[in-house]
């Protein structure tokens, strides 16, 4: 398959480009497009065959359901059986935006889209390209992140091209995304709303609106005793090719520990990758050092996380060491992705 790449204005998407992409979707094809979180790999959510194509293009396990994207509030009731009061409150507060809600699915949504589940994940994105494309294509786009399964999610069209050239009909290049990590997923099929995946919308922001909100126990425990409820959260994910280890502790001790690893590798004629921040990068004299952002600006850390992980794949690094980033709002989301990328390898350095 030849993949067409079209540049599109992310603030004022050109109508003719949207129409060209929408025609591909209406005909059952696949289009990758920017959203405010990461790039999505879109197909018609109500077309079982299109969903099957998405799984094939990503190499995604078929039990890992897709998120259905809408762009009009009134379309929600067409794909779910009921909308609980609390879901309405969250929609009013955070839609359009980086929030996904799990609700009981209606007969309109094929099991191919929900990975066989009776529930469906729904999001109403705010990105103008996503919004216009959803409306022009008929209202319902199933779109997982536009990466090969297991690789870091794409935050630029170049990342999508790396993974999906030849596997999708079209890529809309709207530049770099705004947030850089995937949406917060809240499950409304339990008695108490439960976070299945942390994201930009933090637990505090959810509790402000709803009162009691739980974290999925499978996310909090790393010992394998409890599986995360979102099928996709159990897979190794976001992982660079070289083994990644997170180093926790006081900053100067973390830097010392990583520098020792760098010296030790250099002594053997090898190189390690290092993920630091603008505050620490000057203190790493050896190794392939990448700056993820500033500790004073957690949005910059979220935005560059996947780009940095992808970047190491182009170089010959023996292993990668990262500092930990427990920042105030998105820290949970950032560390959730980093821990998965590291396969939960964490070293704590103490005095
Ligand atoms: P992605 O499409 O890459 O952003 O991943 C979507 C995430 O949503 C995966 O972790 C899925 O397992 C999860 N998900 C989608 N639909 C459901 C559902 N009905 N119930 C639970 N988790 C879901
Ligand atoms: Mg994904």
């Amino acid at each position: 398959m030849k993949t067409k790449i079209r540049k599109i204005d992310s603030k004022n998407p050109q109508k003719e480009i949207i129409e060209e992409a929408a025609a591909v979707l209406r005909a059952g094809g696949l289009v990758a497009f920017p959203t405010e979180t990461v790039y999505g790999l879109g197909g018609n959510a109500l077309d079982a065959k299109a969903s099957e194509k998405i799984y094939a293009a990503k190499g995604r396990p078929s039990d890992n359901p897709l998120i259905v994207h809408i762009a009009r509030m009134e379309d929600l009731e067409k794909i779910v059986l009921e909308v609980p009061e609390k879901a309405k409150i969250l929609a009013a507060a955070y839609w359009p935006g980086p929030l996904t809600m799990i609700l009981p699915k209606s007969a309109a949504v094929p099991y191919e889209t929900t990975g066989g589940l009776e529930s469906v994940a729904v999001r109403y994105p705010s990105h103008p390209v996503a919004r216009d494309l959803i409306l022009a294509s008929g209202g319902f786009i199933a779109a997982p992140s536009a990466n090969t399964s297991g690789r870091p999610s794409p935050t630029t069209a170049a990342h999508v091209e790396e993974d999906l050239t030849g596997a999708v009909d079209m890529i809309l290049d709207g530049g770099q995304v705004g947030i850089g990590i995937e949406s917060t997923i809240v499950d409304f099929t339990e008695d108490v709303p439960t976070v299945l995946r942390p994201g930009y919308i933090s637990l505090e922001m959810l509790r402000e609106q709803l009162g009691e909100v739980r974290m999925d126990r499978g996310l909090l425990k790393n010992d394998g005793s409890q599986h995360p409820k979102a099928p996709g959260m159990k897979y190794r994910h976001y992982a660079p090719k070289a083994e990644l280890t997170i180093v926790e502790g006081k900053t100067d001790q973390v830097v010392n520990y990583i520098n020792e690893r760098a010296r030790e590798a250099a002594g053997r004629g090898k190189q390690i990758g290092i993920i630091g921040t603008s505050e620490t990068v000057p203190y790493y004299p050896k190794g392939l050092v990448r700056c993820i952002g500033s500790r004073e600006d957690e949005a910059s850390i979220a935005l560059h996380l996947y780009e940095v992980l992808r970047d190491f794949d182009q170089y010959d690094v023996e292993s990668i060491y990262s500092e930990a980033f427990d920042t105030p709002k998105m820290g949970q989301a950032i560390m959730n992705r980093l821990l998965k990328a590291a396969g939960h390898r964490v070293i704590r350095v103490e005095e």
Side-chain angles (χ1 to χ4, degrees), residues 58 60 144-145 147 153 182 197 237-238:
K58 276 182 69 89
R60 179 166 171 129
S145 48
N147 51 287
S153 298
E182 303 85 345
R197 177 171 74 185
H237 209 170
Y238 319 121

Side-chain angles (χ1 to χ4, degrees), residues 16-262:
E16 62 284 7
I17 302 176
I18 290 288
E19 192 36 55
E20 189 185 355
V24 171
L25 291 171
R26 287 194 302 265
L30 302 184
V31 176
F33 60 97
T35 80
E36 67 274 26
T37 56
V38 300
Y39 270 74
L41 165 54
N44 177 356
L46 307 187
D47 174 355
K49 290 230 157 55
S51 286
E52 280 169 356
K53 282 189 195 169
I54 292 176
Y55 286 99
K58 276 182 69 89
R60 179 166 171 129
S62 61
D63 70 342
N64 186 3
L66 309 175
I67 295 174
V68 179
H69 294 70
I70 59 171
R72 268 184 309 236
M73 236 5 242
E74 61 265 34
D75 284 340
L76 179 60
E77 59 205 44
K78 298 180 188 154
I79 53 172
V80 306
L81 290 181
E82 51 161 344
V83 186
E85 218 34 59
K86 289 187 171 175
K88 286 184 189 152
I89 294 172
L90 274 200
Y94 300 126
W95 271 1
L99 170 76
T100 296
M101 298 202 256
I102 311 279
L103 297 163
K105 84 171 192 72
S106 77
V109 186
Y111 287 110
E112 283 77 0
T113 300
T114 67
L117 297 177
E118 293 298 339
S119 58
V120 60
V122 190
R123 181 158 103 84
Y124 182 163
S126 64
H127 195 294
V129 172
R131 179 197 61 206
D132 290 2
L133 185 62
I134 295 164
L135 292 177
S137 68
F140 306 93
I141 299 184
S145 48
N147 51 287
T148 305
S149 197
R151 292 209 72 205
S153 298
T155 56
T156 66
H159 297 161
V160 181
E161 283 177 52
E162 269 169 35
D163 284 14
L164 296 179
T165 298
V168 299
D169 299 284
M170 191 182 284
I171 298 171
L172 294 180
D173 179 354
Q176 190 175 42
V177 298
I179 295 175
I181 50 178
E182 303 85 345
S183 59
T184 305
I185 301 180
V186 183
D187 183 9
F188 282 97
T189 66
E190 308 266 344
D191 299 342
V192 178
T194 304
V195 175
L196 303 189
R197 177 171 74 185
Y200 177 83
I201 309 280
S202 64
L203 198 55
E204 288 62 40
M205 289 163 79
L206 297 170
R207 286 182 175 152
E208 239 167 60
Q209 300 294 328
L210 303 183
E212 191 182 5
V213 178
R214 284 194 194 134
M215 273 305 262
D216 179 15
R217 288 176 54 210
L219 290 181
L220 299 174
K221 289 202 156 187
N222 301 329
D223 57 9
S225 64
Q226 184 108 21
H227 274 308
K229 185 169 176 192
M233 298 298 280
K234 70 176 184 280
Y235 296 108
R236 186 177 132 97
H237 209 170
Y238 319 121
K241 288 176 191 149
E243 193 176 90
L244 170 67
T245 303
I246 301 166
V247 187
E248 285 183 346
K250 286 212 186 102
T251 305
D252 52 345
Q253 290 176 0
V254 167
V255 171
N256 285 343
Y257 178 88
I258 295 177
N259 277 330
E260 269 170 40
R261 299 282 76 71

